[in-house]
Amino acid sequence: MLDTKEKVVEIRGLYKSFGDLDVLMGVDLDLYKGENLVVLGKSGSGKSVLIKILAGLLQQDAGSLKVLGNEIIKLNYRELNKLRLEIGFSFQNSALYDSMTVRENMEFPLVRNVKNLTKGEITKRIEGLLDSVGLPQTINQMPSELSGGQKKRIGIARTLILEPQIMLYDEPTAGLDPITCGDINNLINQVKEEFNTSSIVITHDLTCAKSTGDRMALLLEGKFDAVGSFEEVFELAEDERVKSFYDYNFIRK
Amino acid sequence: MAQVSNQKKSVITPKVDKFFMGLANAYAFVARFFKEVFVPPYEFREVIRQCYEIGYKSLPLISLTGFIVGIVFTNQSRPSLSEFGAASWLPALISIAVVRAMGPLVTALIAAGKVGSSIGAEIGSMKVTEQIDAMEVSATNPFKFLVVTRVLATTFMLPILVMYTDFLALMGSFINVNQNELVSMPTFFVQVFEAISFLDVFSSILKSLVFGFTIGIVGCYKGYNSTKGTEGVGKAANASVVMSMFLIFIEELLSLQIVNAIRNA
């Protein structure tokens, strides 16, 4: 399925706790170039914590985490920011800057990280991306004027403006109706094809997982107990915890 | 006995710990501001925008307050001065009171309420909705964009607002004096400028810079460190106002001591 087996993310023995609460307890995971890896788990299982560590927003307590060959914890602020240009992060609630228009939201990372762009080039890039996510008409709108699905799309477009190699999606379909969920799932697949990204999709929605994932990884009690294709992880699962997760999503045949 | 002492320890220690941790965090926040303010890239456009938001948009409230303070203070001072036959000293008394203390203090307290709370709430809600994280992951320094710009804007705008308040308070006072004592504008303002010295104006501006810095840094600190949730945003806004006002009064007291020491030297 995958073009190559080159690893873009390599996680070994990752631990993270908050006070007395152990969230990640020895996580091992690889993300290969050009794949969509879906990380599933119950709410509060540490899925979002994992990608926040990956983006350098949180620090692990122990373990190794390499992104594009760089050990995150060893990078200084400048090196980390350089690496962040290669990582796009789509937030659960979109995290659009609500005092700025859609255009300003998209300009914000671009003008601060890519030098010597003319106004025309910036506009062309923004309009191109808004076309890609199907929302060219929203360019001058404020985030408060957009629907939940539109905000998600704009959030994804904003992360793509820096042309990252890796995309991290945090609960991309949370709080959306089934039709908009389908649109977002299609967009995640489109991003992979069009921008040649490798992605980690965090979700507890099995429909999203099945539509977008090349591989699944199920986070249970701080560790990845099951990693593989959708069929391997769920349909052939023997573990009661995995079965119950699957049954809860009402899609077992 | 041992149990009692342990109980006391368990009640007091976390609060003391929290207090000193809070002080250390605040110190680190202020130190980070002074480190970041001199390092490029500079967010000039955002500083200008914040100056407009903080300065220009505060003008209606500041104008009204300054004008009323001038009228009320003049009216309240008149009976006491008249008792000693010194009503003609009203312009001098008002100018000293307004320039030395009331102008900076009233403006700073109003700005703490209006600007400090809005900074605390805005940054707090950005923290809660992960907008600050979004800046961080897009390789942009949110501290520079959000904190440095706002603190610079409050620091530079407050002295301007104070001078504006002083002027309006004196105008309010003039109208009152003109109506009651039939003093002309040139006479009133000659007395005003004779009463105040360069030290009064200079210390007032310097003090306003400190007040402005306090309002900005406290608002940003409370917002930046707000806990998750909408309740945290409300608390950040409230704490910004309370802490700013508390610090402004302490700074006023300190500045009074310093200026008096200079004046008497």
Side-chain angles (χ1 to χ4, degrees):
Chain A
M1 189 196 304
L2 304 171
D3 295 341
T4 168
K5 279 284 180 183
E6 185 189 337
K7 286 176 191 170
V8 288
V9 174
E10 194 177 344
I11 301 171
R12 293 289 175 270
L14 200 73
Y15 284 83
K16 179 70 187 173
S17 54
F18 296 95
D20 296 334
L21 180 69
D22 295 323
V23 179
L24 302 177
M25 294 180 283
V27 165
D28 297 320
L29 193 70
D30 294 320
L31 173 69
Y32 297 101
K33 192 169 184 178
E35 79 164 334
N36 274 2
L37 171 70
V38 174
V39 173
L40 288 144
K42 290 191 288 186
S43 295
S45 60
K47 308 182 298 289
S48 299
V49 170
L50 178 69
I51 55 168
K52 283 186 176 172
I53 294 173
L54 224 152
L57 289 172
L58 293 172
Q59 267 194 5
Q60 70 261 42
D61 298 332
S64 148
L65 195 158
K66 282 186 185 169
V67 178
L68 299 169
N70 299 283
E71 185 73 57
I72 295 262
I73 206 159
K74 289 181 181 164
L75 302 178
N76 62 32
Y77 189 69
R78 186 174 292 206
E79 291 165 337
L80 179 62
N81 271 348
K82 202 174 163 194
L83 182 64
R84 277 171 170 162
L85 297 176
E86 304 298 338
I87 305 172
F89 197 120
S90 166
F91 286 84
Q92 183 171 353
N93 59 9
S94 312
L96 296 180
Y97 311 130
D98 39 36
S99 60
M100 301 180 196
T101 63
V102 168
R103 175 195 288 274
E104 288 164 343
N105 259 279
M106 296 184 67
E107 263 179 11
F108 188 85
L110 190 62
V111 296
R112 282 166 180 79
N113 292 299
V114 185
K115 303 291 171 203
N116 304 324
L117 282 177
T118 63
K119 272 197 168 180
E121 287 169 328
I122 292 170
T123 303
K124 198 178 162 192
R125 209 143 146 183
I126 291 170
E127 287 175 347
L129 271 168
L130 286 177
D131 273 341
S132 293
V133 298
L135 293 170
Q137 75 283 7
T138 60
I139 190 160
N140 292 316
Q141 283 183 272
M142 298 300 285
S144 57
E145 297 168 322
L146 304 173
S147 68
Q150 287 177 322
K151 282 182 188 173
K152 293 265 183 191
R153 286 169 171 271
I154 301 292
I156 292 170
R158 186 180 64 184
T159 63
L160 288 170
I161 201 135
L162 293 173
E163 297 171 354
Q165 292 187 49
I166 299 168
M167 280 294 290
L168 306 173
Y169 298 93
D170 191 4
E171 304 279 7
T173 56
L176 300 177
D177 65 85
I179 294 169
T180 313
C181 284
D183 292 343
I184 296 292
N185 294 340
N186 292 339
L187 179 62
I188 292 171
N189 289 327
Q190 181 196 330
V191 166
K192 180 189 157 191
E193 299 304 325
E194 211 173 301
F195 297 89
N196 198 24
T197 54
S198 318
S199 312
I200 296 181
V201 182
I202 299 291
T203 188
H204 49 66
D205 170 7
L206 284 191
T207 315
C208 169
K210 200 169 185 180
S211 336
T212 59
D214 297 316
R215 277 194 311 143
M216 312 287 137
L218 187 59
L219 191 59
L220 289 170
E221 291 158 18
K223 281 184 179 177
F224 284 114
D225 271 8
V227 180
S229 68
F230 191 84
E231 290 72 22
E232 286 165 353
V233 171
F234 290 107
E235 290 173 3
L236 306 174
E238 296 296 324
D239 189 327
E240 278 307 314
R241 295 169 306 168
V242 179
K243 280 183 185 173
S244 69
F245 190 87
Y246 188 81
D247 289 340
Y248 190 74
N249 275 267
F250 304 111
I251 60 169
R252 171 155 279 202
K253 287 170 189 150
Chain B
M1 192 67 185
Q3 266 185 341
V4 172
S5 102
N6 278 343
Q7 270 179 349
K8 273 186 181 171
K9 206 176 176 183
S10 66
V11 171
I12 294 167
T13 310
K15 285 186 176 172
V16 173
D17 276 359
K18 200 179 164 190
F19 174 75
F20 282 106
M21 282 302 289
L23 271 187
N25 287 338
Y27 172 77
F29 195 81
V30 175
R32 187 173 175 195
F33 169 80
F34 284 109
K35 188 184 152 204
E36 302 264 11
V37 74
F38 298 109
V39 181
Y42 305 109
E43 299 279 357
F44 289 120
R45 271 181 62 185
E46 183 62 11
V47 174
I48 303 292
R49 197 180 77 82
Q50 288 302 326
C51 285
Y52 173 79
E53 292 287 330
I54 289 162
Y56 182 73
K57 289 196 173 171
S58 301
L59 283 181
L61 188 60
I62 299 274
S63 304
L64 187 69
T65 317
F67 192 70
I68 290 173
V69 162
I71 294 173
V72 171
F73 191 62
T74 309
N75 235 3
Q76 296 289 0
S77 307
R78 182 175 291 110
S80 307
L81 287 179
S82 298
E83 217 168 287
F84 298 102
S88 60
W89 282 55
L90 263 173
L93 172 77
I94 301 299
S95 70
I96 289 172
V98 165
V99 174
R100 284 189 190 173
M102 287 180 64
L105 205 56
V106 167
T107 313
L109 293 178
I110 288 183
K114 187 184 180 297
V115 178
S117 63
S118 98
I119 291 176
E122 188 186 7
I123 297 185
S125 79
M126 289 185 79
K127 173 92 186 292
V128 168
T129 55
E130 297 181 307
Q131 291 175 52
I132 293 180
D133 285 346
M135 285 185 185
E136 195 88 59
V137 295
S138 65
T140 305
N141 185 343
F143 193 94
K144 201 174 266 294
F145 183 77
L146 296 173
V147 177
V148 172
T149 54
R150 279 162 180 76
V151 176
L152 285 179
T154 52
T155 307
F156 293 132
M157 280 297 105
L158 210 76
I160 296 170
L161 289 176
V162 165
M163 284 190 274
Y164 178 72
T165 308
D166 288 355
F167 171 73
L168 283 176
L170 291 172
M171 284 307 291
S173 174
F174 162 70
I175 290 169
N176 193 293
V177 169
N178 178 262
Q179 293 295 307
N180 290 283
E181 278 84 23
L182 304 174
V183 173
S184 70
M185 190 182 263
T187 313
F188 178 87
F189 278 99
V190 165
Q191 283 195 43
V192 162
F193 287 112
E194 273 178 358
I196 53 174
S197 63
F198 172 75
L199 182 64
D200 293 326
V201 177
F202 182 72
S203 65
S204 169
I205 291 173
L206 211 62
K207 188 160 64 176
S208 312
L209 282 169
V210 176
F211 290 166
F213 176 80
T214 304
I215 293 164
I217 203 88
V218 170
C220 291
Y221 175 73
K222 292 292 178 187
Y224 219 79
N225 292 290
S226 66
T227 45
K228 296 268 178 188
T230 45
E231 191 193 346
V233 177
K235 278 185 179 171
N238 183 265
S240 303
V241 179
V242 174
M243 182 60 78
S244 300
M245 287 185 173
F246 176 71
L247 291 174
I248 284 166
F249 279 116
I250 290 176
E251 287 162 1
E252 173 66 30
L253 194 64
L254 286 174
S255 78
L256 180 72
Q257 301 300 319
I258 294 167
V259 173
N260 277 347
I262 295 170
R263 194 171 281 130
N264 297 331

